[in-house]
Amino acid sequence: MLRFIIRRIIMLIPVLFGLTVMMFIIARLLPGDPVALAAGPNATHEEIAALAAEFGMDQPMIVQYWTYASGLLQGDFGVSIFTRRPVLTDILTYLPATLELVFAAMALSIALGIPLGLMTAVYRNRWPDYLARVLALASISMPRFFLGLLLQLCFAMWLMTFPLGGRFPIIYEYPPFVTGFLTLDALIAGDLESFWLACRHLALPAIAMSLSPLATIMRMMRASTIEVLQHDYVTTARAVGLSQRRIVFKYVAKNAVSATLTVIGLYFGWLLGGTVLVETVFDWPGLGLYATQAIVAQDFMPVIGVALVIGLLFVLSNLVIDVLYGVINPKVRYA
Amino acid sequence: MSEPSKQVSPMGVAADPMEDIAVESARRLAWRRAVFRFRQSSLSMLGLAMVLAVLFVAVFGSALAPFPEHIAGGVDTGNRFMPPSLAHPFGTNELGQDVLSLVMAGTRVSVLAGLGIVLIATVLGTVIGAVAGFFGGWLDEVLMRISDLQLTIPGLIFAMAVAAALGAGLFNMVIAISLGWWPGFARLVRGEVLAKREETFVVAAYAIGAHPLRILFRHILPNIISPVIVKMSLDIGFAILTVASLGFVGIGVRPPTPEWGTLLSISRSYMPDFWWTAVFPGLAMFFAIFGFNLLGDGLRDVLDPRARR
C-alpha cells in the first residue's frame, strides 16, 4: 500500500510538469499584452518595456519557463504582475476559503446523496424513485450561479434569514488562524457566536454548490445499489429471514458505496475548479474569485498557479479515493 | 445494438443480395425498437418536446419576439423596470427593453454556441481518440497523456483564460470552450475503437486488402457512432451551461448581444426589487439545459445497452 502511494506520488511529477508547460504555452500563444494591461492605459512605451524587464517578460519563452520552473521547485510560484504580490502568498490566503466551501458542499451532498440513492434503489420504479430521479436530473440541469441567485433572493433579500455574501461580517474580527476554516477556527477558539456566524455565511453558497454533486452521487448510488441487490448473497440473506432494513444497511450499503466513491473523488476535483461561479455570486473570497480577477487582467502567473494547485488537489483526491477503496473493500489489491 | 449489423454490414461486400435486404431489415427493426422504447418513456418524450421548443425559438425567436427593436439594442427609457404584465410578460429591464424579447433572442446564441462546442469537440475528440486507439504505440501514449493533462486542468478556468486572451465574441468563446472539451470524446472513442479493432469484420477487411484508414473510417467508426451520439446529446446541456457561465463572470459575449448568462449577470445588481430581470433569463437557461439532459438521458437508455436499468 505504501509503495502504491509513493509510486502514484512520483507519477504526479510529469503531470505537474506538463501542466505548467501547457499553461505557459497557452499564455504565450494567445494574443493580448498583459504587460501593457498591467501598466495602465496611460503608460508610455518605455514604462511598458521597463515593467516587462522587471518581470522578465522580455526574455525568450524558454528562458521564462526555465526561470518559472526552477522557482517552482523552490516553492516560488512567481509574482503577480498586477497585484505585485507573490502568487503563493495569495493562493495560501484564498485556498482555505475555497476548501471550506468545497468540503461543506461535499459533506452535504454525501450525507444526503447516499441515503437518497439507497432509498430510490429500494423503492425502484415506485413513486419515490421517479420523483427523486426527475428531481436529480433537474438539479444537474440547474446552473449553480442561478440557484445561488435564487437562494440569495429568497433567503437573503426577502426573508433576510441569511447574509447576502462574504465569509464573515466585516465589523467582526476573524477567529485566530489555525486551519483557515472559519467554522473550525471558531470552534477551536471556543467562540460559539463566531461559529454560528461563519456557518450562516457558509450555508447558502454550500447549498448552491452541493445540488449537482448530490444528484450525481444519488444516481450513482442508486445504480450500484440496484446491481448489488441482485447478488446471490442478498437472496440468501432474505432466505435466512433477515429484515429488509438489516439487509440494506448492513450488507448492501457498504458494497454499493465503493462504486460511488469514484464519483465522489472526481466531483471533489471538479468542484474545486467550479467554485468560480458560486464565489462570484456570494463574493466568497476564494481561489475562484482570485483566478477570475487574474484572468480578466490577463495576469498569467496567478492563473497558472491556481490551475497547478487545483490540478494537484484533483490528482491527490483521486489518490485518496483509490486508497479508500482498499479500506472499504479489502478484496482490492494494489498492483 | 443489433447483432447482425455488427457482423455483416461493415464487410462492405455483400455476396448475396438477399443478405443485404436481411441486414437492412434487421437494422430497421433495431431502429424501430429503439424508437418504440424511447416513446415508452414519458420523460424522454417530455425532453424531446422541450428541445424542439427550444430549437423552434432559436430559429424563429428573433422574428417572433414582440419587441424586435430591443434585440438590436434599442432602448425605451420611458418603460424602465416595468413588472411582468400582458404587454411585457417577463417585464422590462434597466433600459426599458422587453425581457421576453431578449430571452427569445438569447436562445439562438446559447443553442448555436452549445451545438458548436459539442460539434467541434466531437470531431476533434473522435479523430484524436480513433487515431490513438487504432494505431496505438507511442502516438497513443502521447495523445492520451495530453488528454489526461487537459482533464486535470479545471475546465472552467481554462475556458475563461483562453476566452479572455482571445477577446470577446461568440466565436472566440466557442473555440475557447471546445479546446478543453475534446478529451472526454477522445477517451470514449479510443476505448470503443480498441474493442472493435480485434473483431472479425476488421480482420476480414484487412484480409481483403483494405487500407487501414479506410478500415478505421468506413468500418470501425460507423459502428461506434451510438455511444458518441449519446455523449453528444448529454453534453449539449452542459455546453450551454458553460457558455452561460462565461457570460455570467463577464467573459465571452458582450452586450448588446443578448446572451442568457450576460443578461443574468447585468440584472444581478437590480435584485431584489426588479427580480424579473434576473429570474426569467435564468429560467430559460434551466429549461433548455433540462430539456437537453432529459433527451440525452432517454437516448442513452435506448442506445447504450450497458446503461439500461
Side-chain angles (χ1 to χ4, degrees), chain A residues 27-48:
Chain A
R28 266 23 270 290
L29 273 188
L30 296 171
D33 189 352
V35 182
L37 210 65
N42 299 322
T44 60
H45 282 288
E46 288 74 32
E47 282 168 348
I48 293 176

Side-chain angles (χ1 to χ4, degrees), chain A residues 15 22 26 31 138 141 227 298, chain B residues 149-150 158 164-165 286 293 309:
Chain A
V15 172
M22 201 154 160
I26 290 165
S141 313
E227 203 180 309
Q298 300 201 3
Chain B
L149 264 182
Q150 185 70 58
F158 177 81
F286 172 66
N293 281 348
R309 287 248 147 79

Side-chain angles (χ1 to χ4, degrees), chain A residues 173-216:
Chain A
E173 217 173 300
Y174 273 29
F177 183 92
V178 186
T179 58
F181 287 19
L182 288 187
T183 44
L184 286 184
D185 285 355
L187 275 187
I188 291 170
D191 183 354
L192 282 182
E193 196 198 339
S194 295
F195 174 71
W196 179 234
L197 278 172
C199 282
R200 280 174 39 137
H201 279 82
L202 186 58
L204 294 186
I207 292 172
M209 290 265 292
S210 69
L211 204 61
S212 105
L214 195 167
T216 312

Side-chain angles (χ1 to χ4, degrees), chain B residues 106 109-110 173 240 243-244 246-248 253 257-264:
Chain B
V109 177
S110 293
M173 188 173 58
I240 293 178
V243 171
L246 287 199
F248 184 72
V253 185
T257 309
E259 195 274 320
W260 292 338
T262 317
L263 289 178
L264 199 64

Side-chain angles (χ1 to χ4, degrees), chain B residues 16 45 97 104 120 156 159 165 177 180 189 193 205 251 255 261 285 304 307:
Chain B
D16 178 2
M45 290 307 282
Q97 294 167 324
M104 284 172 83
I120 296 176
L156 194 57
I177 300 175
V189 168
V193 168
I251 297 167
M285 216 184 295
D304 184 359

Side-chain angles (χ1 to χ4, degrees), chain A residues 15 19 22 26 30-31 124 134 137-138 140-143 145-146 149 157 219 223 227 277 280-281 292 295 298, chain B residues 43 149-150 154 158 160 164-165 238 241 245 248 264 268 272 279 282-283 285-286 289-290 293-294 297 309:
Chain A
V15 172
L19 222 151
M22 201 154 160
I26 290 165
L30 296 171
R124 189 181 173 196
V134 175
L137 208 58
I140 292 172
S141 313
M142 186 76 178
F145 51 95
F146 181 48
L149 282 180
M157 293 173 175
R219 276 155 55 115
E227 203 180 309
L277 301 165
T280 307
V281 173
T292 311
I295 287 169
Q298 300 201 3
Chain B
L43 279 182
L149 264 182
Q150 185 70 58
F158 177 81
M160 279 165 64
F238 291 106
L241 179 61
S245 308
F248 184 72
L264 199 64
R268 240 182 95 192
V279 168
L283 283 179
M285 216 184 295
F286 172 66
I289 300 169
F290 193 28
N293 281 348
L294 278 175
D297 232 41
R309 287 248 147 79

